[in-house]
Every structure is written in C-alpha cells, then in structure tokens.
C-alpha cells in the first residue's frame, strides 16, 4: 500500500525500512509535520502515518479524505490528538499501536524517580565542576515508601511490579483492578486516599476529557507535603501552573515529567539556537527538584522495532480486509481496555 509518513526522524526511517522488508509497502518518508502547509503531500496516498505531535483535527481529516486517504496509521498508543468523531463521520479508519514496550515507559518513570530522589542530575554537574560537596543531595530509601499508581493498565502494572521489587507499598487507582497488581499486594483505593497516602504518585492513565487536569490545585492540596509526582503519560493530565504553584509552596517536593501540556511546540526538535517563548515551561526548568525529558520514555530499540512491525501489520491487515484489530473507535476512547 502507498503510505505517506509524516514527521519522521532518522530513527523512524531506520526501523520502518527494516520492518518493511517483510511487508513491502510503498513508503514515502516526509520530515515535515502534518500541517495545513504540508497536507497536500498526502494527496493520492490511501494511507497516512503520523506521530503524537501531528494534530488531526476535523479540518485536517476532511482535507486528507478529499485527497483520497482512507487509513490513518498512528505510530503511537495514545490517540488524544485525533478527532475521532470526525474520523467516523468521514468513514475513515484509524489504527494504532496499543502496546509496543510497556517496559520502556515504566523503566523511564523509574529513571525519573531515582534521579530526582538521589539528585543524580545535580551530582553529575557538581562532580564535573570539581565540586564534591554532598550538601543538598540527601535522598530517601525507596524501600518502605508508598507509591500511588494512577492507571494500572499495561504500563502501570509493569511500573508497579518494579516498584514492588524496591520494597514499596503499592496503592492503585483505576476503574479496573488488575489481577497481577492485586497479586503484588496493591491496594486499590479512592483517588483522594491515594493522594493523601502516597510518597510518590505516578500517572499511567490515558488523557481523556475525564482525566484532563486530573492533577490540579485541589488534587495537590490533598497530597502529602513534599510528594514526588511523575508523569510519563500525557501532559494534559497535569495543570502545569498548579504544579508550579505546588513546587513553589513545597507541596510538591519533586516533579519528573516526560510529557508536557504544550509539548507539541517544543518536543522532538532541536531548539537550542532559539529563544523558547513558553514562559511556563521555562519556569519549570528553574526548579532544582524538577526533571523534564522530551517525551523519550518510549524510546528503546525494542519499542521502535515493535512500533514499526505493528504499524506495518496494521496497514497490511487493512489493505487485505478493510478492517484491523488495532482500529481505534470512539468506544475505545471511552473504555481504553
Ligand atoms: P492501558 O490502556 O493499558 O492502561 C491505561 C489504564 O488507565 C487502564 O487500566 C484504564 O482502565 C485506566 N484508566 C482509564 N481512565 C482512567 C481514569 N479516569 N482514572 C484512572 N485510570 C483510568 O495504557 P498503557 O499502555 O498502560 O499506556 C498508558 C498511557 O501511557 C497511554 O495512555 C499513553 O498516553 C502513555 N504513553 C506514554 C509514552 C511515552 O513515551 N511517554 C509511551 C506510551 C504510552
């Protein structure tokens, strides 16, 4: 099938070219994002493949449909950047990669926890400057800490398993109780109890209208003073201004984020020669107890290979049967399991 790939980097081209040896799709890679300026590149392509920072609103979908596109292949698990109602109305099909490596994201959440707790980011700089003082680098034992997991699906469950290995007590909040998490000793509680009792809170639920700004000023007020908050899920789960206020007051003791509400304007690009205009983002970077990574939690070689293989299989399946097991439907958004 002829597929236009938007927003591709060298690592995408490498992994997709390798996986396409099996599938033999006619792939054209574009470096540019899918936007009103670039959408004409997709004319004549029955399939278009995009990433999480390509916004597929109703206008964009209508333009793609007019150009002959029938299939949108997301090379991501999340689909909050797509207007699903418009997809249905235009009779298009949208497919995704529901799971590619839950380990990659869960392990990155743990990298943020360990770095924030033991101040690895500060120690690294100090030692390079010849400053061997350990003042201000005091951490705490993870053993015995209470960890609240919001969303115990594929990634949240692996995260819980690893934290269990550290000897942490596990609290969970989800609409569905995962049997593996229960076996680990996780106690499912109401969200307010999770906020009140957790030393570390890690977000692993999807971004939906229900979970938008799940962490706001009221939620932060219910947390233990000095809580560590980790978000490797989607930026919109946290009201960033509320988090900044929480950091200033000390209510939040540590913040580790791989995702940010307005990341589409920043992440995945080298902006080191530009003045960043987002003052809220820049304020976040001034805190010594904040670590921001640029949506790299998924970025392992195993995950890239799985993303490429599943995306190309989704396209092959659609080509053969006009349907796909990994199709995203409006019901998927309501009930992600
Ligand atoms: P999943 O669908 O397996 O699990 C999500 C869980 O959240 C489910 O158990 C679901 O019941 C639960 N949930 C849904 N609504 C909820 C709510 N209102 N409150 C509490 N729980 C709720 O998804 P997953 O594969 O574990 O991925 C989780 C999220 O991680 C994705 O939605 C995606 O946004 C994010 N993600 C980030 C990266 C990255 O690189 N940073 C990579 C992949 C996925």
């Amino acid at each position: 099938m002829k597929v236009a790939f938007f927003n591709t980097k060298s690592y995408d081209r490498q992994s997709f070219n390798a996986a396409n040896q099996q599938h033999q799709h006619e792939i054209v890679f574009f470096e540019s994002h899918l936007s009103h300026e670039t959408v004409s590149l997709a004319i004549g392509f029955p399939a278009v493949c995009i990433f999480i920072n390509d916004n597929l609103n109703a206008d964009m979908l209508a333009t793609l449909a007019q150009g002959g596109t029938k299939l949108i292949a997301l090379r991501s698990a999340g689909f909050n950047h797509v207007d699903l109602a418009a997809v249905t109305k235009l009779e298009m099909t949208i497919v995704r990669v529901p799971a590619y490596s839950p380990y990659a994201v869960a392990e990155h959440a743990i990298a943020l926890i360990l770095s924030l707790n033991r101040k690895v980011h500060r120690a690294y700089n100090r030692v390079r400057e010849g400053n061997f003082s350990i003042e201000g680098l005091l951490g705490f034992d993870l053993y015995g800490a209470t960890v609240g997991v919001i969303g115990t699906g594929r990634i949240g469950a692996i995260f819980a398993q690893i934290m269990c290995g550290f000897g942490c007590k596990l609290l969970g909040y989800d609409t569905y109780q995962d049997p593996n998490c229960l076996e680990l000793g996780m106690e499912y509680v109401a969200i307010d109890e999770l906020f009140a009792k957790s030393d570390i809170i890690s977000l692993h639920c999807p971004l939906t209208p229900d979970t938008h700004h799940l962490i706001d000023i009221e939620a932060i007020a219910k947390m233990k003073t000095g809580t560590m908050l980790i978000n490797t899920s989607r930026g919109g789960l946290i009201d960033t201004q509320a988090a900044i206020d929480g950091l200033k007051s000390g209510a939040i003791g540590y913040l580790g984020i791989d995702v940010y509400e307005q990341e589409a304007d920043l992440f995945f690009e080298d902006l080191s020669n530009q003045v960043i205009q987002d003052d809220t983002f820049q304020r976040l970077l001034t805190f010594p107890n904040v670590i921001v990574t640029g949506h790299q939690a998924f970025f392992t070689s195993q995950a890239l290979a799985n993303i490429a293989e599943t995306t190309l299989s989704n396209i092959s399946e659609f080509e053969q049967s006009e349907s796909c097991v990994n199709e995203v439907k409006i019901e998927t958004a309501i009930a992600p399991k």
Side-chain angles (χ1 to χ4, degrees), residues 45 60 101 108 116 139 152 163 168 171 191 200 217 231-232 280 293 296 305 315 331:
F45 283 89
M60 186 69 74
S101 171
H108 192 77
L116 281 166
T152 58
M163 295 316 290
C168 296
L171 299 180
I191 197 157
I200 300 169
I217 217 144
N231 187 9
T232 55
T280 307
T293 53
Q296 67 169 87
I315 295 168
E331 308 86 81

Side-chain angles (χ1 to χ4, degrees), residues 100 153-155 174 204 206 211 232-234 258 295 298 337:
Y100 39 87
R154 296 176 191 89
I155 296 169
D174 199 311
H204 299 287
T211 60
T232 55
S233 194
R234 281 294 178 266
D258 184 53
H295 210 133
F298 74 100
K337 289 199 98 57

